[in-house]
Amino acid sequence: MRTKSPPLSDRQFAFVAATAVAAIVPHLGHLPVPLTLLFSLIVVAAWFQRMRTHRVTPALVKLALVAVLPALVVVQYGNVFGREPGAAFACGMLALKLLETATRRDARAVICFSSFVLMSALLFDTGLLFTLALVVPILVLLATLRELETHPDGSAADHAARSPLPSLREAAVSLLIATPLALCAFVFFPRLDAPLWRTPGGDTGRTGMSDTMSPGTIQNLLVDDSPAFRVAFDGARPPAGKLYWRGPVLTDFDGGTWRRRDMPVLAPSEASVQTSGTIVRYEVALEPNDKPWLFALDVPLAAPEGARRTAEFGLIRRAPVTELLRYRVESAIDYRIDAQLSAYQRRVALALPKDFDPRSVALAQGWRRDLGADEAVMRAALALFHDKFFYTLSPPALGRDSIDDFLFSTQRGFCEHYAAAFVFLMRAAGIPARVVTGYQGGYYNSAGDYLLVRQSDAHAWSEVWLAGRGWVRIDPTAAVSPQRIELGAGAAAAAAGASLPWYQSDWVRGLRNQFDLVNRGWNSVIVQFNSLRQQNLLVPLGIPRADYRTLTALLIGTGTLLLLFGALWVMRTPRRRVDALDAAYERLCAKLSRTGVACSPQEGPLDLARRAGDRVARALLADYIGLRYASALPASEDVAGFVRGVRRWRPPASA
């Protein structure tokens, strides 16, 4: 016969509600504000209903909320499938579950669902700090399980204790005991070739380089200090002025936005690259960004495995980068590319939108008429930037004729403004030109011997085609702010007098750059522990490839040993806990013996009190008798008072 589940006490419900909230909080970074407010309102309503009114939510209200929730998710995301909408829907259902949580069976369902919601948070962030932060919700969850435990008589455990610290302390001990077994499962549980978390989900919440550029596009990256990728060089790293990490190349301009045009793919044998100097070899660890672009030093000589190289020497994958990706590249930093330009390429690189920016067109055509040579026109444009323009990360807004507004009105901006204006002027003067986006520079971590490139190192520069030289990189930002190339965007903005956010200050960036060494180790050892690395675990022992049978045997064997050790530790003979009252009594007897009143083991405290000559000692013995024999469980305050009295009593010298 099925028994009815016992009802929850207010204290138990408080723990269950805290568990649900702790599972939802890690998702707040990607939840839309309307849904966050709705979930918060539901949790507050459930709390108020339980703790204040003690009423039951009507069934029709609960059914209406369950029906409305998926509709709201569809309004926000367009569907209920995928990573973001699925996580939002799960968080909403967890919050709604609190409205009907009244018994221990309900509470256990909330805990199980909270575990699932908490695990799904790792679909969005697997960083070290975020993973460590999830320990707090796990402790709350385990403490709630401890609160739901019952004694053999069916009563709840520790309901009289008001502080949650004992339950949290036991939860921490349980987590520590389970950690070795979890590590065993992490290492030996057979892994799939592809992780289960490759779910459709769009690119919300990710930051990365795009194949379009309009005013403000790169600015969004410049204020983001998160890592973009890390680079380990096989030999000496190039100087800072050569660290141009090539990304999408933009050729089409409609008057407001620069876009990439699909061009023929270059096979390695068709690469029109002439190199001089040293070839740089390195490995890139690219952070997930939901974009298909790979980044390499300008210019890559071939595409890495799983990618292809475009006609503009950019690298692109078929699928977006949804997890940490490592790839090796060889690049030339001294080169000449496309010494011959086809008619189609020339037409694309000279195209300008009609009826846009007439003053800029007139300026460039005047340079061409007066100066003639391509190099002279380029020098005139760079001199204009150098003499009259300022570098800032907070430029004024631009209108329809954005190039005219920038050149003749605002004259303030950062890399995307200068690259776009320079390319426009060159095309208006009859010089083929294009915009290249990517990253420039990076922070060299000497402790880990690698280069860290952050999103804030995003950059845009120009390429012009010159007869006999091919495509030549021209960085007009360097004409305005050389600090940007040598020291980074933040240093350039600071040199121009701009105030930076606190998280981009020098000392904060220094700490973050040093801590990134730990993040790199976490990514290498934990995040990128895939099936291939798992199969190579036993190579040092002479086993070339550990198949799933070997891994399963290791998992069972190691797990059994860990469980055995854990059982032996739990069943060990516990150390006798010294009662504070008895310990104080023994201390009192020791003090009495120094006065000549020896305490016999057969003698009780009442007989000892008759022989004690000191009045204070007799009073203390009377207190002990009352505490030990007058009640089964003396109050802790009374015991503490007795302990203090024994500690303070100074026995008189013996006669």
Side-chain angles (χ1 to χ4, degrees):
M1 180 177 177
R2 184 175 179 180
T3 59
K4 185 177 180 180
S5 180
L8 292 175
S9 67
D10 288 348
R11 174 183 173 85
Q12 288 174 326
F13 179 82
F15 269 85
V16 173
T19 300
V21 172
I24 296 174
V25 165
H27 291 270
L28 296 183
H30 62 84
L31 285 177
V33 174
L35 292 182
T36 300
L37 295 177
L38 175 63
F39 299 162
S40 302
L41 182 62
I42 293 174
V43 172
V44 171
W47 178 274
F48 185 81
Q49 169 188 280
R50 170 72 195 207
M51 297 300 186
R52 299 297 182 185
T53 65
H54 294 279
R55 295 178 180 175
V56 178
T57 305
L60 289 178
V61 174
K62 291 188 289 188
L63 288 175
L65 290 173
V66 171
V68 167
L69 177 61
L72 293 177
V73 172
V74 171
V75 169
Q76 288 290 331
Y77 296 100
N79 60 77
V80 294
F81 302 104
R83 184 180 56 190
E84 286 82 7
F89 184 73
C91 290
M93 294 301 294
L94 178 58
L96 289 175
K97 181 63 179 175
L98 290 178
L99 292 175
E100 62 175 10
T101 300
T103 65
R104 292 185 198 165
R105 184 181 294 112
D106 296 331
R108 292 189 178 98
V110 171
I111 292 173
C112 290
F113 199 21
S114 297
S115 302
F116 172 79
V117 172
L118 194 60
M119 180 191 67
S120 66
L122 293 173
L123 300 177
F124 300 89
D125 193 345
T126 56
L128 174 59
L129 291 180
F130 185 81
T131 305
L132 291 178
L134 294 185
V135 173
V136 176
I138 293 174
L139 288 177
V140 176
L141 188 149
L142 294 176
T144 303
L145 287 174
R146 172 67 181 85
E147 287 291 323
L148 296 178
E149 290 180 0
T150 57
H151 292 304
D153 61 359
S155 61
D158 290 343
H159 277 228
R162 302 309 304 167
S163 173
L165 292 180
S167 295
L168 290 172
R169 183 167 55 247
E170 293 185 16
V173 173
S174 301
L175 187 60
L176 288 175
I177 294 175
T179 298
L181 190 61
L183 291 175
C184 171
F186 174 80
V187 174
F188 296 120
F189 193 87
R191 292 172 175 264
L192 300 175
D193 291 333
L196 293 175
W197 51 85
R198 279 186 185 170
T199 58
D203 58 359
T204 57
R206 294 291 192 183
T207 303
M209 191 66 62
S210 174
D211 57 356
T212 64
M213 187 184 77
S214 55
T217 302
I218 294 182
Q219 184 180 23
N220 296 330
L221 298 180
L222 295 177
V223 296
D224 181 4
D225 242 5
S226 60
F229 53 90
R230 299 170 180 87
V231 185
F233 293 97
D234 290 353
R237 72 182 188 280
K242 296 285 188 178
L243 295 177
Y244 282 83
W245 304 96
R246 194 181 191 90
V249 179
L250 315 180
T251 56
D252 292 351
F253 183 54
D254 60 6
T257 301
W258 291 85
R259 290 183 172 84
R260 172 183 170 267
R261 172 179 293 206
D262 289 328
M263 301 285 279
V265 178
L266 274 182
S269 59
E270 301 171 355
S272 54
V273 182
Q274 299 178 18
T275 65
S276 60
T278 304
I279 303 300
V280 181
R281 297 174 177 85
Y282 51 95
E283 181 183 70
V284 179
L286 180 63
E287 292 285 335
N289 53 30
D290 287 326
K291 303 293 191 301
W293 298 103
L294 305 185
F295 299 92
L297 270 182
D298 209 355
V299 297
L301 298 181
E305 183 179 359
R308 60 187 176 88
R309 192 176 61 176
T310 67
E312 302 93 352
F313 297 91
L315 301 178
I316 189 172
R317 301 175 80 228
R318 292 182 179 177
V321 180
T322 57
E323 59 181 347
L324 191 70
L325 176 68
R326 292 183 182 272
Y327 55 93
R328 291 193 59 83
V329 192
E330 294 184 357
S331 293
I333 57 177
D334 297 306
Y335 56 87
R336 186 171 69 171
I337 56 177
D338 286 343
Q340 301 296 324
L341 198 64
S342 67
Y344 172 75
Q345 290 175 312
R346 178 180 293 275
R347 185 171 65 254
V348 169
L350 287 174
L352 288 176
K354 294 182 179 180
D355 301 324
F356 277 88
D357 307 294
R359 297 179 66 187
S360 301
V361 172
L363 174 65
Q365 291 177 349
W367 284 340
R368 170 60 73 184
R369 182 177 58 255
D370 297 336
L371 302 175
D374 292 349
E375 289 82 356
V377 174
M378 292 165 47
R379 287 195 296 269
L382 295 176
L384 174 66
F385 291 150
H386 177 75
D387 295 337
K388 298 183 179 181
F389 287 71
F390 298 90
Y391 185 92
T392 177
L393 298 182
S394 302
L398 303 176
R400 175 186 180 274
D401 294 322
S402 57
I403 305 298
D404 278 358
D405 291 345
F406 174 65
L407 290 177
F408 301 101
S409 179
T410 65
Q411 298 184 336
R412 295 176 180 272
F414 48 92
C415 58
E416 71 177 24
H417 298 84
Y418 294 106
F422 185 83
V423 170
F424 188 95
L425 291 172
M426 294 303 102
R427 290 186 175 188
I431 303 174
R434 59 194 183 187
V435 175
V436 184
T437 60
Y439 298 87
Q440 199 283 321
Y443 168 79
Y444 177 67
N445 192 312
S446 57
D449 192 23
Y450 69 95
L451 189 79
L452 168 64
V453 180
R454 298 189 180 274
Q455 296 291 354
S456 54
D457 294 315
H459 194 52
W461 58 95
S462 309
E463 283 186 339
V464 297
W465 190 88
L466 301 176
R469 299 176 59 185
W471 289 105
V472 178
R473 179 174 64 231
I474 303 295
D475 192 347
T477 306
V480 182
S481 177
Q483 296 94 334
R484 168 60 187 91
I485 309 306
E486 295 297 329
L487 303 177
S499 59
L500 296 176
W502 66 270
Y503 56 83
Q504 287 190 332
S505 60
D506 291 340
W507 69 274
V508 174
R509 286 176 62 89
L511 289 177
R512 294 184 63 186
N513 288 334
Q514 293 301 322
F515 183 72
D516 187 74
L517 180 62
V518 181
N519 287 327
R520 186 193 186 211
W522 171 264
N523 288 336
S524 176
V525 176
I526 303 298
V527 177
Q528 284 203 301
F529 187 74
N530 51 24
S531 60
L532 180 61
R533 295 182 61 183
Q534 187 183 49
Q535 292 167 3
N536 293 331
L537 277 175
L538 303 181
V539 170
L541 301 180
I543 302 177
R545 184 177 183 273
D547 56 16
Y548 74 93
R549 295 184 181 86
T550 304
L551 293 171
T552 302
L554 287 172
L555 175 64
I556 295 174
T558 308
T560 302
L561 288 176
L562 290 174
L563 289 174
L564 177 61
F565 290 147
L568 292 176
W569 184 83
V570 171
M571 294 186 297
R572 76 193 190 284
T573 302
R575 184 175 61 182
R576 186 178 69 88
R577 297 182 62 181
V578 179
D579 184 84
L581 185 59
D582 289 340
Y585 175 69
E586 293 177 3
R587 194 178 303 115
L588 178 60
C589 291
K591 289 186 175 183
L592 283 172
S593 65
R594 293 201 294 269
T595 66
V597 182
C599 302
S600 173
Q602 299 84 4
E603 188 176 25
L606 186 59
D607 294 333
L608 184 61
R610 295 192 186 99
R611 295 195 300 111
D614 186 82
R615 177 180 57 82
V616 178
R618 289 197 301 270
L620 289 172
L621 288 169
D623 292 341
Y624 174 75
I625 293 171
L627 292 171
R628 175 54 67 201
Y629 302 106
S631 62
L633 186 63
S636 58
E637 295 82 2
D638 297 336
V639 174
F642 175 73
V643 172
R644 287 193 300 270
V646 173
R647 186 184 302 116
R648 294 171 181 172
W649 180 57
R650 296 292 182 267
S654 59

